Amino acid sequence: MFPNPILSIGDTHIYLYGLLIALGILACFFVLFQYSKRAGIPNEYVDFAFYNGIASIVIGFIGSALWHGLFQYIEDVKNGVPNPQFSIKSGITAIGGLATGALTFIVICLIFRKKYPFSLTKLVAVAPMCMIIAHAFGRMGCLMAGCCHGEYLGQEYVFGGIRMDGTNGWGYYVPTQLYEALFLFLLFTVLTLLLYKKDFEYSLPVYLASYGVWRFIIEFARADDRGAFIGSLTPSQTLSIVLVALSVPAYFILKHFLAKKRAYEASLPTAAAETEE
């Protein structure tokens, strides 16, 4: 929609895409700090999560480029491209970056789990909302840039289409970026209400399953060719299946640790009473 710079200062150009990405990152950390207070997470652990989040975002961006380069390389090999080259400069894949960043965040949390006993279980209820809001703003950025769009509808207005500069040049396209952003904002709202009204603690498996299903479905409307990965499945559909599959063990692992946390918290008054005696 607005692929050109909205502000230029010398050789520095500011695009709506980059502005919305930055806004998404700021919203991510705002949600982290505000929701952590609601969840009763100690300030020390929130600070740890903040720096962990920064590291995970950086590694996530690197991962998004690596995944895209890998998918592109596999596609070139399948299509018989002469001398296929693996490159991290060919683009990025959002779902690959999210998966890499989330995995990095979880691994770092697990490394320091003994220093902050059972704080991770509280953070797991909050962290998905941080990722969802950042991703939603990121998809709005894609809409502004005209990437990640759906089918080309032609030069004349068609109901539901949005004019943007896509793979067929300027014209009307199915705005899959907008649909995904709206879904993410809705998911963020629902999980927020569940957290605040019901102290819901299973937002991670819900996020993995619901986004995985939605992304798998919406890929059928995508028209920017990113090749096939397994059979006729796109790379994002393959990763979507992985996300949905991971939601099941994520639920049971989280349930196990939440039970241990409740047992630990229930033992604290007894331990305090024994100390007083």
Side-chain angles (χ1 to χ4, degrees):
M1 291 179 68
F2 301 100
N4 297 321
I6 59 172
L7 179 65
S8 297
I9 304 174
D11 294 330
T12 303
H13 306 291
I14 298 176
Y15 297 84
L16 267 177
Y17 173 79
L19 194 61
L20 284 164
I21 292 292
L23 185 59
I25 293 173
L26 290 175
C28 169
F29 287 115
F30 175 81
V31 169
L32 172 64
F33 285 110
Q34 293 300 314
Y35 286 33
S36 293
K37 291 180 182 178
R38 173 66 179 78
I41 301 174
N43 290 335
E44 182 184 6
Y45 194 71
V46 175
D47 292 339
F48 162 75
F50 172 75
Y51 294 113
N52 185 3
I54 293 176
S56 299
I57 288 172
V58 172
I59 295 174
F61 272 110
I62 296 172
S64 67
L66 289 172
W67 278 107
H68 190 278
L70 175 63
F71 292 142
Q72 187 63 55
Y73 177 79
I74 293 172
E75 180 67 12
D76 289 346
V77 171
K78 288 173 63 177
N79 292 334
V81 175
N83 301 317
Q85 301 292 322
F86 175 81
S87 173
I88 62 172
K89 298 180 180 180
S90 59
I92 61 174
T93 175
I95 194 169
L98 280 171
T100 303
L103 181 61
T104 300
F105 188 88
I106 292 171
V107 168
I108 294 175
C109 284
L110 289 174
I111 291 173
F112 292 92
R113 68 185 184 280
K114 291 184 179 180
K115 185 177 180 180
Y116 307 99
F118 298 109
S119 291
L120 177 58
T121 54
K122 293 182 179 181
L123 185 63
V124 165
V126 173
M129 270 81 86
C130 302
M131 293 188 293
I132 292 168
I133 196 65
H135 192 185
F137 278 106
R139 275 298 178 228
M140 290 302 296
C142 293
L143 179 65
M144 297 299 107
C147 61
C148 309
H149 57 74
E151 295 181 14
Y152 175 64
L153 300 174
Q155 292 296 316
E156 300 296 327
Y157 172 73
V158 177
F159 178 76
I162 290 182
R163 183 172 169 78
M164 64 184 77
D165 186 15
T167 52
N168 290 77
W170 278 99
Y172 289 92
Y173 294 83
V174 175
T176 51
Q177 322 97 313
L178 178 61
Y179 299 152
E180 189 170 344
L182 291 175
F183 170 81
L184 290 166
F185 281 123
L186 177 62
L187 180 60
F188 173 81
T189 302
V190 170
L191 289 178
T192 295
L193 289 174
L194 286 173
L195 177 67
Y196 274 74
K197 300 292 185 180
K198 303 293 184 180
D199 290 323
F200 189 66
E201 298 175 297
Y202 293 94
S203 56
L204 177 60
V206 170
Y207 168 53
L208 292 174
S210 58
Y211 179 70
V213 170
W214 177 257
R215 183 57 186 270
F216 186 91
I217 294 172
I218 205 171
E219 279 291 301
F220 290 109
R222 289 279 292 269
D224 50 332
D225 183 25
R226 287 147 297 131
F229 186 53
I230 297 177
S232 60
L233 297 178
T234 68
S236 294
Q237 284 179 320
T238 305
L239 288 174
S240 295
I241 293 173
V242 173
L243 290 181
V244 174
L246 286 175
S247 68
V248 177
Y251 170 78
F252 287 105
I253 291 172
L254 185 57
K255 183 177 181 180
H256 169 73
F257 280 103
L258 286 172
K260 289 184 67 175
K261 184 193 78 169
R262 293 188 182 99
Y264 170 77
E265 291 174 343
S267 70
L268 291 179
T270 303
E274 290 175 353
T275 303
E276 291 175 1
E277 291 176 0

